[in-house]
Amino acid sequence: MAKNRAPGYGGSCVATPLGSPIRLAEDHTSSLVQEQAAIALGQPGIHAAAVSSLVDLAKTGRGIALRNVATVALGKTRAPEAVATLAELLKHDDWMMRGAAAEGMLQMSARECVAPLLDALEDENAQVLATVEQALKMFSNREGIAVDRATWRDWWAKNGERARFATRDEIKARQELDGYSASDASIYKGLDVVVVPGLGDHIEKVLEQLGIHYRTVQAGQLEESALQPGAILMIGCTGQISPEDVEVVQWYVRAGGALFTSCWALSYTVVPTSPAVIRKAPSPGEVVDHVFARPTTTALESPYLRGVFEGGVQPFYSLLGAHLIQVVDPERAEVLLDSPYAAARHGSGDLAAYFRMGHGVILDTANHFEEQGFSSAEGLKGDEECQAFAVNHMGYSLKDLRRTRDEKWWKSPSKAAAEIADLSVFRILTNFVREKRING
């Protein structure tokens, strides 16, 4: 099992004098270090030299990945001189650069961004259009609302003078209110949750049970999915997406998206998207098992495990031909959950791990979400055993148990499964979504 620290790219550039991240961003031989340095420079009120460096990287940086990351970071500086560069890049030949520029303008949150964004409503790329519209919705306080694209110019002509562009601190305060106070299910309210259904795992069934609104996009169709960095992307096992899909996912995560994958999607989505960070661990045979999960030593205080082990809950992992995780680059990846039992039987016990990619994050977990909880429990008899299993292993609260304990469906595990979702492991995903809402 991996012993590692919180993920980054070495992390050395963030806490050093300003000149150091500028030099790293401009001159380091590693493009990953350059990306991390560019992200470190993307802070409101940062020195003009940093803004100038990000402008150069956005226009002429080595490779599309670095240029995308620098473009979004440029918007995060909120420097007035960044608007002209972002407007220029919004007309770039490469859709990835146009999409990054739109996300940079969303991060800018300035009145000067509106006109270039309105002009970009004619863009032919679905991801660019979705990001442009998300920015306009944020500026007009209409997030989560369906808006007819043809009405934007008239709306701004009539209401634009009254529009108020929030400062970064104001946005942060609002996001923290939404993030910290929201319940597990309501944290997804207003977000564009996109599910690519897998052949083996159907996380959409869990979303439906929790009342979380989502839309589905089939593998091979992400190019037309209107995916923007503010969305949540869930790809279930087997995760066999196309090469064209991979390009979209790479852009989406680098620009700030959150990708959640399960089981075989580690091999068929995560590795093609970002090779050489985590991969399928070698095992002596097919991994079919049920194991208890525990937090790794390095993740004991992780905010991503908030509520997962609360009250002594011990998550019960359903492994159905699972691709257990092997960390390739411990400087970038952190393992959150492991199982000594799985390690002894199958050669690896790492069950959930995440890493940063550009402005975004990728979380992979080895389980099948729809097979968690009562679906994987064996030998439960009667209401008392079902209730104990729900509280001890599924994160079901005592408050909810007091409310439902007399329900007849408790007497049957199959009937209880239709009523109660396993929140133990799913809560990890929710904690990542919570962080995204808080930090933007």
Side-chain angles (χ1 to χ4, degrees), residues 90 105 114 131 207 228 267 270 322 352 354 360 370 383 388:
L90 201 53
M105 287 193 164
V114 173
T131 310
L207 298 177
Q228 46 87 18
S267 299
V270 176
Y354 78 99
E370 69 169 318
D383 52 359

Side-chain angles (χ1 to χ4, degrees), residues 312-334:
V313 170
Q314 191 170 25
F316 193 55
Y317 246 66
S318 174
L319 305 175
L320 302 175
H323 284 199
L324 296 171
I325 299 167
Q326 181 181 59
V327 172
V328 179
D329 187 349
E331 291 288 333
R332 294 187 61 189
E334 179 177 12

Side-chain angles (χ1 to χ4, degrees), residues 78-80 83 87 105-118 135-136 138-140 155-167:
R78 295 201 159 199
V83 176
M105 287 193 164
L106 182 151
Q107 297 293 336
M108 279 284 299
S109 186
R111 189 176 300 277
E112 294 76 15
C113 294
V114 173
L117 288 169
L118 290 174
L136 291 172
M138 193 185 87
F139 297 167
S140 60
W155 191 94
W156 278 103
K158 294 175 182 177
N159 303 285
E161 290 301 317
R162 297 197 302 272
R164 183 175 181 276
F165 294 81
T167 66

Side-chain angles (χ1 to χ4, degrees), residues 31-112:
S31 59
L32 290 175
V33 172
Q34 286 186 294
E35 287 180 27
Q36 185 68 358
I39 291 168
L41 295 175
Q43 305 294 331
I46 201 162
H47 195 277
V51 178
S52 177
S53 177
L54 287 173
V55 168
D56 290 341
L57 286 171
K59 290 183 175 181
T60 63
R62 179 180 55 192
I64 189 67
L66 176 58
R67 295 198 296 273
N68 283 174
V69 168
T71 299
V72 176
L74 179 61
K76 289 184 175 183
T77 67
R78 295 201 159 199
E81 57 269 36
V83 176
T85 297
L86 292 174
E88 177 184 342
L89 294 175
L90 201 53
K91 300 176 181 178
H92 199 280
D93 290 341
D94 191 317
W95 75 263
M96 289 187 178
M97 290 304 303
R98 301 197 303 276
E103 179 64 18
M105 287 193 164
L106 182 151
Q107 297 293 336
M108 279 284 299
S109 186
R111 189 176 300 277
E112 294 76 15

Side-chain angles (χ1 to χ4, degrees), residues 15-27:
T16 53
L18 178 61
S20 296
I22 290 179
R23 287 196 297 273
L24 289 172
E26 293 178 344
D27 301 327

Side-chain angles (χ1 to χ4, degrees), residues 79-401:
E81 57 269 36
V83 176
T85 297
L86 292 174
E88 177 184 342
L89 294 175
L90 201 53
K91 300 176 181 178
H92 199 280
D93 290 341
D94 191 317
W95 75 263
M96 289 187 178
M97 290 304 303
R98 301 197 303 276
E103 179 64 18
M105 287 193 164
L106 182 151
Q107 297 293 336
M108 279 284 299
S109 186
R111 189 176 300 277
E112 294 76 15
C113 294
V114 173
L117 288 169
L118 290 174
D119 290 339
L121 285 170
E122 303 299 322
D123 201 289
E124 296 180 353
N125 181 273
Q127 277 58 249
V128 177
L129 271 176
T131 310
V132 166
E133 291 190 281
Q134 182 65 14
L136 291 172
K137 287 179 180 181
M138 193 185 87
F139 297 167
S140 60
N141 198 29
R142 295 200 286 177
E143 294 172 85
I145 299 174
V147 178
D148 184 346
R149 188 175 301 152
T151 66
W152 274 115
R153 286 191 182 276
D154 286 343
W155 191 94
W156 278 103
K158 294 175 182 177
N159 303 285
E161 290 301 317
R162 297 197 302 272
R164 183 175 181 276
F165 294 81
T167 66
R168 184 61 198 161
D169 288 342
E170 289 171 336
I171 293 174
K172 177 86 169 175
R174 185 179 69 197
Q175 289 169 332
E176 287 179 348
L177 181 63
D178 290 340
Y180 289 129
S181 63
S183 64
D184 283 348
S186 63
I187 196 71
Y188 295 85
K189 185 177 180 181
L191 292 178
D192 182 21
V193 179
V194 180
V195 175
V196 178
L199 299 177
D201 185 23
H202 299 278
I203 196 171
E204 61 270 23
K205 294 182 179 180
V206 179
L207 298 177
E208 289 170 6
Q209 197 167 17
L210 294 173
I212 296 171
H213 179 75
Y214 69 93
R215 62 187 176 98
T216 58
V217 177
Q218 298 302 315
Q221 298 179 8
L222 281 172
E223 281 187 297
E224 303 303 323
S225 66
L227 188 64
Q228 46 87 18
I232 304 298
L233 179 60
M234 301 180 179
I235 301 182
C237 179
T238 55
Q240 292 169 297
I241 60 176
S242 70
E244 292 78 15
D245 287 343
V246 170
E247 184 178 79
V248 172
V249 173
Q250 288 173 328
W251 170 82
Y252 158 78
V253 177
R254 286 194 198 105
L259 168 64
F260 304 138
T261 60
S262 68
C263 200
W264 287 20
L266 168 61
S267 299
Y268 293 115
T269 297
V270 176
V271 171
T273 297
S274 186
V277 184
I278 59 176
R279 66 186 177 198
K280 177 182 180 291
S283 60
E286 186 179 22
V287 179
V288 178
D289 216 334
H290 296 102
V291 301
F292 291 116
R294 70 175 191 181
T296 59
T297 303
T298 56
L300 286 172
E301 302 300 323
S302 172
Y304 302 126
L305 296 184
R306 171 184 171 183
V308 176
F309 296 91
E310 189 174 326
V313 170
Q314 191 170 25
F316 193 55
Y317 246 66
S318 174
L319 305 175
L320 302 175
H323 284 199
L324 296 171
I325 299 167
Q326 181 181 59
V327 172
V328 179
D329 187 349
E331 291 288 333
R332 294 187 61 189
E334 179 177 12
V335 177
L336 293 172
L337 298 181
D338 68 11
S339 166
Y341 177 83
R345 282 176 60 93
H346 305 293
S348 172
D350 292 343
L351 302 175
Y354 78 99
F355 61 94
R356 305 287 174 184
M357 178 179 172
H359 294 273
V361 66
I362 296 176
L363 167 70
D364 179 72
T365 181
N367 64 309
H368 281 193
F369 281 95
E370 69 169 318
E371 296 296 335
Q372 290 292 122
F374 289 114
S375 297
S376 61
E378 299 176 353
L380 296 178
K381 298 179 181 179
D383 52 359
E384 290 187 2
E385 289 188 11
C386 287
Q387 290 169 0
F389 185 87
V391 171
N392 293 335
H393 303 300
M394 295 172 58
Y396 197 67
S397 71
L398 292 175
K399 178 182 177 181
D400 287 335
L401 178 59

